Amino acid sequence: MAAIESVLNEARVFEPSAEQMARASIGGMDAYRALVDEAARDYEGFWSRLAKQHLSWHKPFTRGLDESNAPFYTWFADGQLNASYNCLDRHVEAGLGERTAIIFERDDGEVQRVSYRELLARVCRLANALRARGVRKGDRVVIYMPMSVEGVVAMQACARIGATHSVVFGGFSSKSLNERLIDAQAVAVITADEQVRGGKRLPLKSIVDEALGMGGTEAVAQVIVYQRTGGDVTWQAGRDVWLHDVVADQADTAEPEWVDAEHPLFILYTSGSTGKPKGVQHSTAGYLLWAELTMRWTFDLRPESDVFWCTADIGWITGHTYICYGPTAAGGTQVMFEGVPTYPNAGRFWEMIQRHQVTVFYTAPTAIRSLIKAADADEAIHPRRYDLSSLRILGTVGEPINPEAWIWYHEQVGGGRCPVVDTFWQTETGGHMITPLPGATPLVPGSCTLPLPGIMAAVVDETGQDVPNGQGGILVVKRPWPAMLRTVWGNPERYKSGYFPAELGGNLYLAGDGAVRNDKTGYFTIMGRIDDVLNVSGHRMGTMEIESALVAHELVAEAAVVGRPDETTGEAIVAFVVLKRSRPEGAEAKQIADQLRAWVGKEIGPIAKPRDIRFGDNLPKTRSGKIMRRLLRGLAKGEQVTQDTSTLENPAILDQLGEAI
Ligand code: PRX
């Protein structure tokens, strides 16, 4: 709460410079307001105009928004197009084939440049191979790949043949991968032998083998393996094939599959407050429109001169929209990085910005905060030791940024001259929702400022009524927008009840975050999730997911997971655990905690491992048996319990649970 207080009282305002206004694609607040007004006057016409201008259609659409089956909205539904055509062919056809699409830097520093012509050829070869091997339009292909050009090629090749990809982040465990393979009913997996991060080789193929060995994945007929390291892999003849073998004799051209605007481009699993991760399903046209447009609006991308770098992984939505689809749809040049920000030292980002003359840089607050610490500790890797003069715009995403980190980023990285765009959005929203526009929006550290034109964001109370500015509430979006998710894969009911809850009237999109608008400027400040979703280093995780992983361990009787504010990672996971046996103490407690952490790493993935595990004889419950999470959150922060605990069945356990191991 202290962090939110400091944001709400933030008095520093950074106005755009005249030069920024002059060059920006939406220069100045008047231009911004004109677009906002256009959307308010003729909502459907506004979006249709943009969809015609920014996408290349095989068959033009004749209608914009269809709300007849709300909340299953459709956009541009009778139009046809292909995402990979829009990202690649149209630039090559426009004579831009020699432009660099991707500057790929490996973990060890080796650099590869891939032109649009080359990228298109590689996508076509894999598209042909997939077709030859029986993958058809509408089939689901799971991609479990390292950060690599091949990862982007795999995604675009699926899009080219109309197969729906589902990228699973390379840090998820075999169990998580298995669950996603089953839920998506995937027919093929594209993976790599190993990935390389921070000088270490980490397995991928063997995890795929394990995931397929767990069963339920009989539909997976083939595993295509990109050879990244040449490390040992076990091979199942008939199922496993090398990527370089299957593309070897394929042609460089492949006719795109023209799909309907609403055809599912991809499914991406994300955590919710209940149950298993859900497959967020995105459309082709609406999604791609927003990927392209936000590149131009939020990042003011000049494809002919900018070098864009988004440091996200392709396994997350940010890597989908701002690596695979947005920069390419806009015809820009981007840096893509295999490794981690701290290898060989914590100056790696700054060194790479200098080396590749990056102009627009997009990263997560967690990375900034850890690099601040590193720079404070070692002057040799401080950003001021690098030439960062190429930078002109900085962005952040994934979690709230505290004003101190914002100011450091602005001054130390951006030299005080680059606007910082704090972009609020979600897996479900497809692209940016609330964000400053460089050259237009006056910036306030810690606030994501105002919604993009066409995004009808608002703050409401529990009944769906608007709350006055200055008063906190629930963040909603009042009108369907083209890039929004279309459904939860295989679970339309969960889509409907989860995102358009009846309590709010059934027609407001519920983001799941709390927000407050400044009473003078109307600027939004995001106050964090209002459900049981944690945000650790910008990674989204459900407390229920971690709890079910813990109780699946043979020693565990009961578990409750909460978040604790953390200076670097935003939130840290704290688990309160009751064992089936007596409460462990001392060295034994530590040993069991380590065992449970490793277990969660296996069940979900290393990112879900609790930072802190505490054991009690019981959990604090009300007489009616409800776990008192608010109390646990206080204990996790090391606070003294001041609230009334008279309803607690057994107040004595609070002392046990307050004790860190
Ligand atoms: O809580 C919000 C937070 O991240 C959540 C979405 O997570 P995910 O779907 O994984 O997407 C992350 C990348 C878009 C949101 O519900 N969040 C995201 N961006 C911001 C943010 N919180 C505050 N400020 C942001 N800029």
Side-chain angles (χ1 to χ4, degrees):
M1 273 303 150
I4 290 165
E5 282 297 305
S6 82
V7 172
L8 296 181
N9 297 325
E10 182 61 57
R12 288 166 287 194
V13 179
F14 296 79
E15 299 283 344
S17 68
E19 189 204 336
Q20 285 161 2
M21 282 171 73
R23 70 165 294 168
S25 83
I26 301 180
M29 287 310 274
D30 290 346
Y32 165 76
R33 274 189 215 100
L35 285 165
V36 170
D37 291 346
E38 183 191 345
R41 258 194 331 272
D42 176 11
Y43 191 68
E44 201 177 331
F46 167 81
W47 285 112
S48 297
R49 171 178 75 75
L50 293 166
K52 279 179 203 147
Q53 275 173 3
H54 290 266
L55 294 178
S56 301
W57 294 87
H58 179 67
K59 176 175 166 251
F61 60 91
T62 61
R63 61 178 306 187
L65 170 64
D66 184 346
E67 298 183 87
S68 57
N69 188 26
F72 300 93
Y73 305 103
T74 67
W75 283 94
F76 323 122
D78 62 348
Q80 287 194 323
L81 77 172
N82 180 278
S84 130
Y85 177 86
N86 273 270
C87 295
L88 304 170
D89 306 57
R90 66 168 168 169
H91 308 310
V92 175
E93 286 168 14
L96 303 174
E98 301 321 312
R99 179 179 289 169
T100 301
I102 300 176
I103 303 168
F104 182 72
E105 183 162 315
R106 288 201 334 189
D107 188 66
D108 63 9
E110 190 193 296
V111 175
Q112 304 159 1
R113 286 171 181 272
V114 185
S115 69
Y116 272 94
R117 184 184 311 286
E118 167 75 21
L119 191 58
L120 172 60
R122 282 163 77 169
V123 167
C124 287
R125 283 199 288 270
L126 181 56
N128 287 329
L130 290 170
R131 274 180 177 149
R133 303 181 60 81
V135 179
R136 295 282 168 262
K137 174 180 166 187
D139 285 348
R140 271 82 55 211
V141 175
V142 162
I143 297 174
Y144 188 64
M145 292 279 266
M147 285 295 283
S148 53
V149 175
E150 285 71 14
V152 172
V153 168
M155 294 163 80
Q156 293 268 355
C158 288
R160 192 158 193 93
I161 65 170
T164 300
H165 60 69
S166 184
V167 184
V168 177
F169 173 59
F172 278 120
S173 68
S174 52
K175 177 95 183 296
S176 296
L177 179 59
N178 172 264
E179 285 165 5
R180 287 156 173 76
L181 286 163
I182 294 173
D183 191 76
Q185 282 297 295
V187 303
V189 178
I190 307 178
T191 187
D193 51 358
E194 295 178 307
Q195 57 180 330
V196 186
R197 291 167 64 79
K200 288 200 243 3
R201 287 154 66 152
L202 306 162
L204 287 173
K205 169 67 165 65
S206 65
I207 295 174
V208 172
D209 293 339
E210 266 176 49
L212 293 174
M214 290 172 182
T217 55
E218 290 66 30
V220 176
Q222 54 188 314
V223 178
I224 300 176
V225 187
Y226 158 52
Q227 193 167 41
R228 166 60 185 88
T229 64
D232 283 343
V233 287
T234 50
W235 211 248
Q236 186 170 314
R239 184 195 74 185
D240 300 346
V241 286
W242 289 112
L243 175 69
H244 55 258
D245 285 338
V246 297
V247 300
D249 46 10
Q250 296 296 343
D252 283 357
T253 55
E255 177 67 11
E257 179 83 37
W258 304 110
V259 298
D260 291 342
E262 285 293 318
H263 183 71
L265 179 61
F266 65 86
I267 305 166
L268 184 57
Y269 286 85
T270 191
S271 297
S273 48
T274 54
K276 295 268 173 218
K278 46 198 171 181
V280 168
Q281 179 183 320
H282 277 286
S283 72
T284 298
Y287 170 80
L288 195 65
L289 168 64
W290 205 220
E292 205 268 1
L293 200 53
T294 49
M295 284 301 299
R296 294 189 185 270
W297 283 358
T298 311
F299 297 126
D300 184 33
L301 191 84
R302 303 292 148 139
E304 61 290 347
S305 54
D306 274 318
V307 177
F308 176 76
W309 182 17
C310 164
T311 68
D313 191 283
I314 51 168
W316 308 116
I317 190 68
T318 308
H320 281 58
T321 308
Y322 299 107
I323 295 176
C324 182
Y325 291 110
T328 54
T333 297
Q334 69 176 315
V335 171
M336 187 177 180
F337 177 40
E338 181 180 45
V340 297
T342 47
Y343 180 82
N345 59 52
R348 183 70 181 262
F349 276 1
W350 323 133
E351 189 193 320
M352 284 180 62
I353 290 171
Q354 171 179 286
R355 177 159 46 245
H356 302 299
Q357 297 282 291
V358 171
T359 58
V360 183
F361 180 66
Y362 192 36
T363 196
T366 291
I368 298 167
R369 287 191 293 261
S370 69
L371 295 176
I372 294 175
K373 265 199 199 157
D376 285 347
D378 181 2
E379 169 64 25
I381 49 94
H382 195 283
R384 70 169 84 91
R385 302 296 284 267
Y386 302 82
D387 177 6
L388 304 180
S389 58
S390 58
L391 287 171
R392 66 181 195 91
I393 294 171
L394 299 173
T396 70
V397 56
E399 40 176 336
I401 181 162
N402 45 312
E404 300 68 39
W406 193 102
I407 294 285
W408 186 89
Y409 195 36
H410 186 253
E411 282 173 3
Q412 304 300 326
V413 182
R417 60 175 200 286
C418 308
V420 173
V421 290
D422 172 0
T423 62
F424 168 83
W425 59 295
Q426 310 175 290
T427 304
E428 293 87 344
T429 69
H432 302 152
M433 297 296 277
I434 309 179
T435 173
L437 292 169
T441 321
L443 307 170
V444 173
S447 168
C448 54
T449 73
L450 296 170
L452 285 169
I455 301 300
M456 307 302 188
V459 181
V460 301
D461 64 17
E462 285 78 35
T463 65
Q465 299 304 307
D466 283 308
V467 300
N469 288 355
Q471 199 173 306
I474 301 169
L475 179 66
V476 296
V477 186
K478 292 190 161 179
R479 297 278 279 145
W481 68 104
M484 68 189 290
L485 80 164
R486 292 303 191 263
T487 188
V488 171
W489 177 260
N491 200 344
E493 205 30 62
R494 193 168 171 193
Y495 164 77
K496 209 169 154 174
S497 58
Y499 296 106
F500 297 91
E503 306 85 75
L504 298 183
N507 58 357
L508 299 179
Y509 168 81
L510 175 70
D513 285 285
V516 59
R517 301 186 70 165
N518 183 284
D519 46 14
K520 289 186 207 71
T521 56
Y523 277 15
F524 286 74
T525 294
I526 305 297
M527 304 201 290
R529 301 288 305 196
I530 51 173
D531 51 10
D532 292 319
V533 170
L534 304 182
N535 192 328
V536 181
S537 300
H539 298 151
R540 178 168 155 182
M541 249 151 335
T543 50
M544 289 261 291
E545 256 175 283
I546 307 170
E547 286 165 8
S548 358
L550 283 166
V551 297
H553 190 279
E554 56 179 10
L555 287 178
V556 178
E558 212 178 355
V561 167
V562 300
R564 172 181 72 209
D566 181 273
E567 240 180 59
T568 308
T569 59
E571 272 185 303
I573 302 169
V574 180
F576 296 90
V577 173
V578 182
L579 297 181
K580 288 178 186 158
R581 41 151 283 180
S582 60
R583 176 174 178 263
E585 286 181 84
E588 199 194 10
K590 189 172 174 318
Q591 187 247 325
I592 297 177
D594 286 344
Q595 205 181 325
L596 293 180
R597 252 192 293 273
W599 171 263
V600 173
K602 268 259 157 220
E603 287 283 296
I604 305 175
I607 53 170
K609 286 184 188 177
R611 174 87 57 86
D612 198 355
I613 294 185
R614 301 184 185 183
F615 296 104
D617 290 327
N618 207 335
L619 295 175
K621 288 187 196 135
T622 60
R623 296 234 159 87
S624 61
K626 252 185 86 181
I627 295 177
M628 299 174 83
R629 284 172 187 280
R630 206 153 49 92
L631 208 154
L632 289 177
R633 278 193 280 270
L635 286 175
K637 278 194 267 188
E639 285 170 5
Q640 290 299 324
V641 176
T642 50
Q643 72 197 91
D644 177 15
T645 53
S646 58
T647 54
L648 266 183
E649 213 186 303
N650 175 11
I653 55 166
L654 295 182
D655 293 334
Q656 296 179 349
L657 296 170
E659 217 175 277
I661 295 168

